[in-house]
């Protein structure tokens, strides 16, 4: 049984309510241009602890601080010239930068997982201006609004299904435009490392970064939350499937005689990214033993889609 969640349609009344819930230390699910996030006031340690508990998120997995204005970044992190250039070009937008923390300004030991770095993102979202206008200071810590390890939500209803009874308010802004999470880059001086492929394809950075280290080539392991199985439905996931086997549901990419769901009939990779999580959820709810997924090309957003699918298919802990 899904408990009725407090859902409000995006708009001035919902934003006012969100501000009062956040100021009181509550948990608010918010639409972003990537996926729905679960926000708390970054200065409220109790709210942060409740956020970890609600998601069942391991304490070693740090959170992204979401700011409302790119100019705020320098309050919390050291900004190299490369970081500044990327912020000027891609913010507000679906890019997260992992930067050296500024000494004496640590927002929360808990949310930082003891790292010397801080992940910062300035989302493109209508609520950001409304929150600022109502005197709510950023940042907000905001992971994706799903149970840890499961599929990220791209609609308010997904949040209600997963976390309805644990969230104080869900703002319904319709389906997310991106469909996969923000791209995460770690910046050290003039060096950038791709920690998580995401809504901005790696190719888009080529004109702005002299060399982008890919995760395989990086000296350090990638983002703490990126190692284990993640983004997983209950059903097993079989990749690069050209046929549908007994007990499977088939997730197609392009014309197919046995599609149970279709990422994009015209093989449009952006449409596929927008549909990915909703369709994995839909097939998982049937329920089936396994979800077989058609091969997806690696270009553009295909990199992020394949990254999520590989994690969804990975051995479960
Ligand atoms: O699109 C997004 O980024 C969404 C929306 C809601 O903004 N948020 C999101 O947050 O995906 P989350 O917590 O689900 O994923 C954040 C990722 C995790 O893999 C985490 O380990 C990594 O970023 N991360 C956070 N802080 C980090 C840090 N200091 N160093 C390395 N990785 C970090
Ligand atoms: Mg997440």
């Amino acid at each position: 049984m899904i408990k009725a969640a407090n859902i409000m349609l995006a708009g001035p009344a919902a934003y006012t309510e969100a501000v009062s819930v956040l100021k009181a230390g509550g948990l608010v699910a918010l639409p972003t241009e990537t996926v729905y996030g679960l926000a708390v006031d970054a200065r409220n340690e109790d709210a942060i602890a409740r956020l970890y508990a609600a998601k069942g998120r391991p304490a070693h997995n740090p959170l992204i601080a979401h700011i409302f204005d790119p100019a705020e970044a320098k309050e919390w992190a050291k900004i190299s010239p490369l970081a500044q250039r990327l912020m000027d070009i891609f913010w507000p937008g679906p890019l997260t930068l992992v930067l050296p923390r500024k000494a004496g300004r640590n927002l929360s030991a808990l949310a930082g997982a003891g790292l010397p770095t801080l992940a910062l993102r300035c989302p493109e979202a209508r609520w950001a201006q409304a929150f600022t206008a109502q005197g709510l200071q950023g940042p907000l810590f905001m992971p994706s609004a799903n149970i840890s390890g499961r599929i990220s939500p791209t609609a308010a209803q997904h949040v209600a299904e997963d976390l309805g009874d644990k969230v104080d308010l869900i703002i319904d802004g319709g389906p997310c435009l991106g469909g996969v999470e923000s791209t995460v880059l770690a910046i050290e001086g003039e060096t950038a490392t791709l920690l998580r492929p995401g809504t901005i394809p790696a190719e888009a950075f080529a004109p702005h970064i002299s060399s982008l280290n890919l995760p395989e080539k990086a000296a350090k392991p990638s983002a703490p939350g990126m190692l284990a199985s993640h983004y997983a439905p209950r059903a097993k996931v079989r990749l690069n499937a050209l046929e549908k086997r007994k007990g499977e549901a088939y997730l197609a990419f392009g014309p197919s005689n046995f599609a149970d769901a279709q990422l994009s009939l015209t093989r449009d990779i952006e449409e596929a990214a927008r549909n990915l999580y909703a369709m994995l959820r839909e097939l998982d709810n049937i329920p089936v033993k396994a979800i077989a997924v058609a091969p997806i090309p690696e270009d553009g957003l295909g990199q992020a889609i394949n990254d999520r699918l590989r994690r969804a298919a990975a051995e479960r802990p």
Side-chain angles (χ1 to χ4, degrees), residues 35 55 57 61 143-146 149-150 152 181 196 230-231:
V35 299
K55 278 183 58 87
R57 186 177 178 102
N61 193 359
S144 50
N146 52 280
R150 302 287 319 284
S152 295
E181 297 80 354
R196 177 174 75 180
H230 219 88
Y231 310 103

Side-chain angles (χ1 to χ4, degrees), residues 3-300:
K3 252 176 97 178
N6 182 17
I7 305 183
M8 291 178 82
L9 282 181
Y15 301 150
T16 302
E17 177 65 11
V19 166
S20 80
V21 172
L22 288 166
K23 280 184 175 168
L27 276 57
V28 178
L30 295 169
T32 81
E33 74 278 57
T34 59
V35 299
Y36 275 71
L38 188 55
V40 292
D41 176 357
R43 291 172 183 78
N44 189 324
E45 289 281 349
D46 290 343
I48 295 165
R50 251 183 297 126
L51 173 62
Y52 272 85
K55 278 183 58 87
R57 186 177 178 102
H60 61 76
N61 193 359
L63 299 174
I64 301 173
H66 291 66
I67 52 178
F68 305 155
D69 179 343
E72 268 179 57
K74 63 179 183 311
E75 299 295 325
W76 312 109
K78 289 183 209 148
I79 314 293
S80 70
L82 171 59
Q84 187 63 55
R85 286 204 304 281
L86 295 174
M87 283 162 30
D88 291 345
I89 296 162
F90 293 100
W91 279 3
L95 173 65
T96 296
L97 296 177
V98 172
L99 302 168
R101 274 169 186 262
K102 209 160 176 177
R105 300 284 179 85
N106 289 356
L107 284 174
S108 155
L110 177 56
L115 294 171
T117 52
L118 177 69
L120 276 176
R121 155 156 149 76
C122 183
E124 170 100 69
R126 270 171 299 161
W127 43 258
Q129 289 79 40
F131 288 1
T132 308
Q134 293 186 37
L136 182 77
Q137 276 188 308
L140 299 172
F141 279 124
M142 185 161 63
S144 50
N146 52 280
I147 292 165
S148 185
R150 302 287 319 284
I151 304 167
S152 295
T154 52
Q157 198 51 41
H158 299 161
V159 184
E161 282 163 18
D162 279 12
L163 293 167
D165 54 345
K166 301 194 175 82
V167 174
D168 298 299
L169 174 65
I170 300 173
I171 307 274
D172 184 353
C176 297
L177 285 177
V180 289
E181 297 80 354
S182 63
T183 306
V184 182
L185 293 184
I187 308 293
E188 287 169 279
E190 286 304 289
T191 306
T193 303
L194 179 66
L195 296 186
R196 177 174 75 180
T199 306
I200 302 178
E203 301 93 273
F205 300 112
H208 316 292
I209 302 178
S210 51
S211 94
L212 179 62
N213 295 325
L214 298 176
E216 307 82 83
K217 295 187 191 143
K220 285 182 231 154
S222 64
M226 297 301 291
L227 295 174
S229 146
H230 219 88
Y231 310 103
R234 284 176 288 266
K236 285 196 168 145
V237 175
R238 189 165 68 82
L239 303 180
N240 298 313
L242 298 172
E243 81 292 343
K244 174 176 155 171
R245 296 179 188 160
K246 197 162 171 271
E248 284 183 341
Y250 190 74
L251 182 54
F253 179 66
S256 156
N257 293 330
F258 41 84
D260 294 293
Q262 177 59 263
L263 286 171
S264 171
L265 196 55
T266 58
R267 300 175 62 84
D268 174 335
I269 204 78
E270 291 183 8
E271 184 184 18
R274 273 196 304 277
N275 285 333
L276 179 68
Y277 291 148
M279 288 183 176
L280 286 175
R281 277 173 186 271
E282 179 190 312
L283 297 178
D284 207 24
N285 284 340
I286 290 179
V288 286
K289 242 175 42 207
I291 299 170
V293 189
I296 314 284
E298 276 285 332
D299 24 284

